[in-house]
Amino acid sequence: MIILVGYTSVDGQTRRIAGEIASRIEAGGDRALLFDIASLDEYGVSHPEAAILCAPIHAGNYPGVFTEFVTREKAWLNSVPSAFVSVSLLIMSDVEDEREEARGFAETMKHETGWVPNLVHHAAGALRFTEYDFFKRWMMHRMAKRRAGATDTTQDYEFTDWQRLNAFVDEFRAAAAS
Ligand SMILES: Cc1cc2nc3c(=O)[nH]c(=O)nc-3n(C[C@H](O)[C@H](O)[C@H](O)COP(=O)(O)O)c2cc1C
């Protein structure tokens, strides 16, 4: 099976997640078509038979280029086995309301775009303090102190649970093949 692994990423973590998904797919014997949605290239040449799309939350929204792509491609996406990987920080909060907020981003995306993925996986992202500009570092430090215990702005933090991500990919492949 050929599986499209489409992603958008602002700071790089969702790109890493998509890369890991593609590696897991290929290790399992299927073919992965890794595709940067923001590149606006054609992806249809190899006729994917399933799709996993990944996008990060920034300031309460997925990147516009992602929601535009999904809205444009929803007929195709709804016609094949598909899954969505939502990347955020709130999903790892100790506060249930905040985790609910993170889950809500994906629900809103579904309603707004009309795409109904068969599976949704919520992955915790990363904080790249050493790469942020002053304002972004200040903003994310305020957010991270409370939610992730990440207080040292001289280092980066990666919260993604790679084992859970791989288990999700295996679950998707099994469901898509049946
Ligand atoms: C400027 C900025 C705003 C963010 N806003 C949110 C947010 O509103 N909710 C949330 O859960 N995570 C938020 N995050 C955390 C990102 O989802 C996380 O850093 C993720 O790994 C980013 O993915 P990317 O590296 O692929 O861009 C924000 C991160 C940044 C840098």
Side-chain angles (χ1 to χ4, degrees):
M1 181 166 42
I2 301 172
I3 304 176
L4 176 75
V5 183
Y7 67 90
T8 46
S9 187
V10 180
D11 294 322
Q13 190 63 14
T14 311
R15 183 178 303 113
R16 289 190 70 175
I17 288 172
E20 181 70 18
I21 291 172
S23 300
R24 186 73 178 184
I25 288 170
E26 301 250 331
D30 286 323
R31 230 187 102 200
L33 211 60
L34 194 57
F35 173 65
D36 180 356
I37 289 168
S39 73
L40 303 175
D41 286 343
E42 285 290 319
Y43 69 89
V45 278
S46 300
H47 305 295
E49 298 152 283
I52 301 178
L53 301 187
C54 319
I57 283 289
H58 282 254
N61 290 292
Y62 299 110
V65 68
F66 177 79
T67 46
E68 283 155 25
F69 173 83
V70 169
T71 304
R72 206 169 53 241
E73 299 293 327
K74 68 175 173 235
W76 175 73
L77 287 168
N78 285 332
S79 73
V80 295
S82 68
F84 177 45
V85 177
S86 174
V87 181
S88 67
L89 272 193
L90 283 187
I91 199 62
M92 53 174 284
S93 169
D94 291 338
V95 181
E96 170 55 25
D97 280 359
E98 294 188 341
R99 292 198 301 275
E100 190 54 39
E101 190 181 333
R103 290 191 284 269
F105 296 137
E107 289 306 307
T108 304
M109 185 282 294
K110 287 201 258 178
H111 287 122
E112 285 181 358
T113 63
W115 175 38
V116 187
N118 303 103
L119 290 177
V120 176
H121 177 76
H122 289 273
L127 289 167
R128 307 238 176 266
F129 284 126
T130 63
E131 290 167 28
Y132 298 156
D133 61 24
F134 176 81
F135 178 66
K136 212 162 158 181
R137 191 162 51 241
W138 173 78
M139 203 171 78
M140 292 317 292
H141 182 241
R142 287 189 58 189
M143 183 178 176
K145 216 164 52 175
R146 213 156 58 80
R147 297 184 172 112
T151 51
D152 182 357
T153 55
T154 63
Q155 69 168 77
D156 297 335
Y157 295 87
E158 188 180 75
F159 302 107
T160 310
D161 183 335
W162 300 106
Q163 269 188 349
R164 271 195 64 229
L165 183 75
N166 282 332
F168 159 77
V169 175
D170 295 348
E171 184 194 349
F172 177 76
R173 285 185 58 243
S178 63

